[in-house]
Amino acid sequence: MARLDNFSRTDEKDNVLTLSGITIHFGGLVAVDSVSMYVRRGAIAGLIGPNGAGKTTAFNVITGFYKPFSGYVEFTPPNASPMKITGLEPHKICKAGIARTFQNIRLFGNGTVLENVMTGAYVRQSGKWWMNILPIFPGAIREEREVREQAAALLERLGLARFINAHAASLPYGAQRRLEIARALATKPSFLLLDEPAAGMNPQESAELLNFIRTLRDEFDLSILLIEHDMKVVMGVCEHIWVLDDGRLIADGDSARIRSNPKVIEAYLGKEAAHA
Amino acid sequence: MIADSSGNRIRNNILTLASLALLAAFLWLAPKYLDGYKVRIINLIAINAILGLSLNLIYGMAGMFSLGHAGFMAIGAYVSALLILTPEQKSMMWILDPIAPWLMDLHAPFYASLLMAGILAAFFGWLISLPILRLGGDYLGIATLGFSEILRILIANLTSITNGPIGLKGIPAHTSLWVSYGCLLLFLAAVIRLMKSNFGNVIRAVRDDEIAAKTMGVNTFRTKVLAFTIGCFGAGVGGALMGNIITTIDSKMFTITQTYNILMIVVIGGLGSITGSILGSVIITTMLEWLRFVENPITIGAFRMDGKPGMRMVIFSLLLVAVIIFRREGIMGMREFSWDWVLSRPAAVRNRLASGGTPKGGD
């Protein structure tokens, strides 16, 4: 599908992520129908749409859990040339620099908070697993210590330091969401996907989330794409918004354009509301 | 918080060394004061602990339900025995079929044979894991059980290599207390260090949530293959030690019952707990011997019952059912032994007594 607005493609080099004509079928059901979209480097972009619109499916395509029927995903790491990541295994996509959180929190529940974050850091570790069996590799010992210290520092920065030795599953809900973000950051990504970060949060918590997401982007030098139903969060933080409905891209633009777009209103509220 | 204060660490190291010295004294005194039967049980505790640890690595830590342990033990036991037996012994033993010529002069000292037993079991574990670790849960259990049984039947029929149903006899009894506990300590230290490293976190992460682990950049398939292979190494060494203590092996030693005993050690000790596997081995190995009295004829007053072979296993099955119903996490759950925990006990008990004496469960 052609892009709906008149954005020029001249600064395409600045895209951290480009989806081109992505289509996914599940049996007879078309979950995502030739969707093309992009995320600018350093931007916070939003992906919205009614339930079942295909938002999480799009995330699963980007992170390598689904192989698209047609189309491709292109990712550009910082200071590198674009790479096609379509069909790569999830762990390779993470290594390339894409991290994500999940709609239904997926922590390593039996591990401590620190262990969860350290696990995220493993992908950047160069020491081999067997080097830790005998204490005769000073490099491996140093690296293990650094991973531990960096994980602790990351928890400190995200305000989770007091939970450091607690079991991940025992944390309050909001802290679990934060921990999932901390774990994703431990993989040292340049592009972060957040799947409904405000789900289950009260208005005050989601107001704090706005600042938190911006701080994340600035401090960790990230580009962010988020799925969210909380329109206050989406309109407040996203610089560019993409709207999916029934697997199709129906609109994109900044928050003002999306708010006044009749197709978006129709998708969310029905035909009468759009023509009222 | 993150690292022990250095004072505690020194204290803990001293306590660990003292315990090792106590263990050494016990191992030195035991053969002098205990009869051969009891020494053998103490020996079996160490061997079963190695086997339990290795299955725990596969099932408890990495979350792969495997029922193939007896098969890998068999590989280890046969490899070790075939390497140790002298050509004279071999030439007398094969009576059904002549021995394969290349096997005749193959000979290695005991320790080399132990290592080879582990390596070959690990190799077969690796080979078999490539296709079957794509399965999950119960399917994996069935596939590993099937593999183990196929292996057993191969052993019973590859007469020119394994001497078929007659088995191998006259294996020198190399497994002394020093050997079995030495192997246990080496394997234990390796597993502890592995599971304390970040790779240990990764193994547990794959067990807890495979999808999340993949997203965090973990090659989950490779991780599972590795954990499975290391576990099979332990099974091979354990099987070799077992052969060298019983001095005769045949394919009937390595049935599902053998796997089941080790599984019980792991489940009762606590899936995912290294400490649990050691405790489980002490308890199960001792009980397996002690419970032999239920298989003897029993006379209580006028009531007389004939000995029923296999009664032990009935009791054990009931025990396992009871554990699964009442304490699914086993003795240790996923917790581990630490000196800090032990030394905090007296104070904890005092606090409990001071606060009205009502004991509260778990902490």
Side-chain angles (χ1 to χ4, degrees), chain A residues 79-92:
Chain A
N79 311 318
S81 47
M83 56 192 281
K84 294 257 191 317
I85 57 168
T86 332
L88 277 186
E89 288 167 283
H91 67 266
K92 290 187 179 146

Side-chain angles (χ1 to χ4, degrees), chain A residues 106 110 118 125 132-133 144, chain B residues 193 198 208-209 215 226:
Chain A
R106 282 176 171 274
N110 291 308
M118 284 176 70
Q125 226 169 311
N132 293 302
I133 292 180
E144 285 277 321
Chain B
R193 285 197 58 89
N198 203 16
D208 283 357
D209 193 324
T215 314
L226 257 171

Side-chain angles (χ1 to χ4, degrees), chain B residues 257-306:
Chain B
T257 321
Q258 184 62 253
T259 301
Y260 177 75
N261 286 346
I262 302 162
L263 190 65
M264 204 151 48
I265 288 173
V266 176
V267 170
I268 285 179
L271 275 174
S273 167
I274 297 171
T275 319
S277 291
I278 309 286
L279 287 179
S281 170
V282 174
I283 293 168
I284 299 297
T285 314
T286 322
M287 273 179 71
L288 267 173
E289 294 304 323
W290 177 69
L291 275 174
R292 277 188 197 281
F293 79 87
V294 299
E295 294 181 0
N296 297 334
I298 298 170
T299 316
I300 305 168
F303 176 75
R304 179 177 284 276
M305 199 172 86
D306 293 335

